[in-house]
Amino acid sequence: MKKIIFTILLYCTITSMNSQITTTIIDVLVNSQTTINNCNVLDFGTNQNNNLIIYFKLQRPQSLPNGGGTLRIYLKYNSNSIPQVIGVPRNILDSYWTNTNYESTMNCDISASQIQVSGSSISVEFETNGGIKTQSCEYPIIKSTPPSFSFTPTTLSLPCGDTSSRTFTITPANIPSGANVTYQWSYSGGWSTISQTSTSLTLQPSSGTSLPPTVSVTPSINGVTQTTKTCSITRSGFTSIASITGNSNLCSSSNTYTISNTGTNTITWSCSNTAIATLNIISPTSVTLTKIGSGTVNLVATLTNSCNQTTTIPKSVNVGSPILPATVFVNGATYTGYNQTLNYSLSGSSINGGTSYQWSVDGQMNDDGGLTTCAWQILSGQGTRTVTLKSGCISGMVVVRVVATGGCGSSNTKYIYVTVGSNPCPPTLRLSQNPVKEGNLVADVIYPPNCDTSARIANTINNEIKIYDFNGNVVYKSKQNSDKLIINNLEIKKGIYLLQVITEKGEIIKEKIIIE
């Protein structure tokens, strides 16, 4: 039986003066239940899927010879969004028209996810075969905020031994007026019920050592099941305030170590290297370490609680004197000039028992007059693994030494030999041209083949350049941070001169040059 639909013509239109065709939505039937006209609001409520039957009317003047074109339904997500075509466009033929009118219906489906709670709309647009468009009014579309449920807590971490009660709460929101909401709680053995309301449940773990199962609740609205909410139950991590007391240095014989604040936990002891120290258990909370060798060991107490969780309490103990193993050595220059700043460092990481590092220099520390003007100096870094030294001004060989010190004394010595003054790899100067023409001088500082210049390169190269006339006057001077020396536009008179270069290590290189 055909439904009787009360309609009111709506002329909320946008009319194109070129086409003279008016596009109008007469009314809209929503889900075969409610008819909406006059561009009033289409309310989808809580429906997730919605069917619309749109009754439309096209009108043209008597003088317009052809009414062919395409009719489309447009959906806007909000007022600022670009309209999207929904449903199947309708191809309108001129033969469909009755004189100046054409009335019919179009269907479309709109899901709740395609619109907002408010701000969405639909309209109908007719485009003639000539490309002229006219649009109907826009029907606003709204929907009800969907029902929702929040559950607290969603996760619960229980410490071992904790049997205190916990309350779980479900909170509804946006429930339709008059709706019947029920809740089905679910939990199995491992919990004891303390109290319960329609939206909350208070439970107590039955055991402090066995983890209880998850707790969940399933809401229903008017008998329609909603998404189940669940709280997962986990065991908290095991931590302890226990600590081990005892001397951090085991220099000789044995030391006693005691752990406190262990509670009722079971204690297991271990030593990381029994070749350095052996372990003897006196009581569950007390042990002795006996020195066997030298190095560093970790004394570890492992605590196990009633839930079979474990945590470790470590203590590092230096046994015997510190050791600088064979893999550790001193890095730095093996040659230096006079009064130069040098850096030396102790490489490697396997240094057992060292807490401080003492550097020294073996060699002549005074000049012939007994003064210290030529003495080696420790500028900075004493006590650390890197030291900065200033070389003396006495030629010869010195030894830079370092020992590690700790609570049980000093380690073996690591050292490096350093030649002072007498360079085993003396540099020379190589001029690109001599005589020098047009005031452009180019020279290179050259080291003999097979010489290790890495220590020099590791520092900032700083060559001091001077040119002397044969009366001993300095006619030119500069500094360059490269072994390629370039002087352009050298403005000195023609003649014979002496070019002198002093490197950052105090090496002096001289070469006679002719200026033309």
Side-chain angles (χ1 to χ4, degrees), residues 395-410:
S395 297
M397 180 78 73
V398 300
V399 183
V400 177
R401 301 178 183 273
V402 62
V403 296
T405 61
C408 294
S410 300

Side-chain angles (χ1 to χ4, degrees), residues 373-482:
T373 54
C374 281
W376 281 71
Q377 299 177 41
I378 297 178
L379 301 180
S380 63
Q382 185 68 283
T384 70
R385 292 176 56 162
T386 299
V387 69
T388 301
L389 305 177
K390 182 179 180 182
S391 66
C393 56
I394 305 296
S395 297
M397 180 78 73
V398 300
V399 183
V400 177
R401 301 178 183 273
V402 62
V403 296
T405 61
C408 294
S410 300
S411 71
N412 53 313
T413 302
K414 293 289 180 175
Y415 54 87
I416 187 172
Y417 291 100
V418 184
T419 301
V420 184
S422 178
N423 191 348
C425 290
T428 58
L429 279 174
R430 182 176 64 192
L431 277 72
S432 62
Q433 63 175 6
N434 197 10
V436 176
K437 298 180 180 180
E438 298 180 354
N440 297 321
L441 187 152
V442 178
D444 293 280
V445 178
I446 303 297
Y447 286 84
N450 303 320
C451 282
D452 182 10
T453 60
S454 59
R456 176 172 186 269
I457 295 172
N459 297 300
T460 300
I461 296 175
N462 188 11
N463 291 310
E464 181 181 352
I465 305 168
K466 291 183 180 180
I467 299 177
Y468 295 87
D469 63 19
F470 269 79
N471 292 320
N473 300 313
V474 177
V475 296
Y476 175 87
K477 65 178 180 179
S478 68
K479 288 186 176 181
Q480 296 192 17
N481 300 117
S482 172

